Amino acid sequence: SDENDFINLMIELSKKYSLTLVSLPHHQKDYLKVNSIFDKLIEEKITLVKPVSLPNAPEIKRKCKECDLVVTGRMHVAIASLSQIVPVICYSYGDKFTGLLEHFNLEADKLIVSPKSNIRESMSYCLSNNSFILNNINQRLKTVIGLSGNNFV
């Protein structure tokens, strides 16, 4: 399952890198699912940070800024991450993240995890292309913010 693949990947990466996994749930369902995953990782040598209650939007945005990479299935968390110049891997059902990533000139097929791809490939891509991804986000952020202003005209 996706959950077991993610858990195994985090265990594998924790052997190579000093990891801190931060839970940024956007909905109660996410909060419960991440807590379940974290409970399975508790015995590993990974630092786990999870909120005691569901965080609000400003708290999520502040926490995103402290991350090196965010993995999410929620559009609002992806937007919060990108607005803080933090790369994002998106769990998607359909193509809801494609347009967002294209606004930042990022390769959606590499950063969206779906039944056709897996988290391992996306994580490897992010680790090997980190400076390229950060540069694209940084270069396009002002333009994307400008586009968002069109929603209020």
Side-chain angles (χ1 to χ4, degrees):
S1 78
D2 284 342
E3 184 176 311
N4 287 334
D5 288 344
F6 182 78
I7 290 168
N8 291 333
L9 179 59
M10 293 305 103
I11 292 168
E12 181 182 316
L13 289 174
S14 72
K15 293 175 183 173
K16 294 180 182 179
Y17 305 99
S18 173
L19 291 183
T20 298
L21 295 181
V22 179
S23 173
L24 299 171
H26 186 58
H27 290 287
Q28 185 66 26
K29 183 175 141 183
D30 300 341
Y31 180 74
L32 297 172
K33 182 160 184 112
V34 171
N35 280 345
S36 168
I37 291 170
F38 277 29
D39 288 345
K40 294 173 185 171
L41 287 169
I42 205 102
E43 294 179 17
E44 303 301 325
K45 293 180 180 173
I46 301 172
T47 304
L48 305 170
V49 178
K50 61 182 179 179
V52 293
S53 63
L54 199 60
N56 62 33
E59 291 171 321
I60 290 173
K61 191 171 183 177
R62 272 193 306 277
K63 280 295 184 188
C64 285
K65 189 174 186 164
E66 297 173 21
C67 297
D68 294 319
L69 173 66
V70 170
V71 179
T72 186
R74 301 291 180 183
M75 181 65 80
H76 290 96
V77 176
I79 292 168
S81 299
L82 292 166
S83 76
Q84 300 303 307
I85 312 174
V86 174
V88 63
I89 293 174
C90 307
Y91 272 95
S92 183
Y93 304 97
D95 61 354
K96 71 177 185 176
F97 290 104
T98 303
L100 175 64
L101 294 173
E102 286 174 354
H103 280 302
F104 287 93
N105 198 28
L106 298 172
E107 297 182 62
D109 62 321
K110 306 269 194 223
L111 297 173
I112 295 175
V113 178
S114 68
K116 298 175 187 171
S117 64
N118 68 50
I119 185 72
R120 185 174 303 276
E121 292 168 1
S122 295
M123 194 72 72
S124 175
Y125 174 78
C126 281
L127 292 171
S128 358
N129 295 284
N130 190 52
S131 60
F132 170 77
I133 293 168
L134 290 173
N135 185 49
N136 281 6
I137 296 169
N138 202 26
Q139 282 186 336
R140 301 283 301 155
L141 186 57
K142 278 188 176 181
T143 301
V144 173
I145 290 171
L147 289 172
S148 71
N150 294 336
N151 292 323
F152 299 103
V153 176

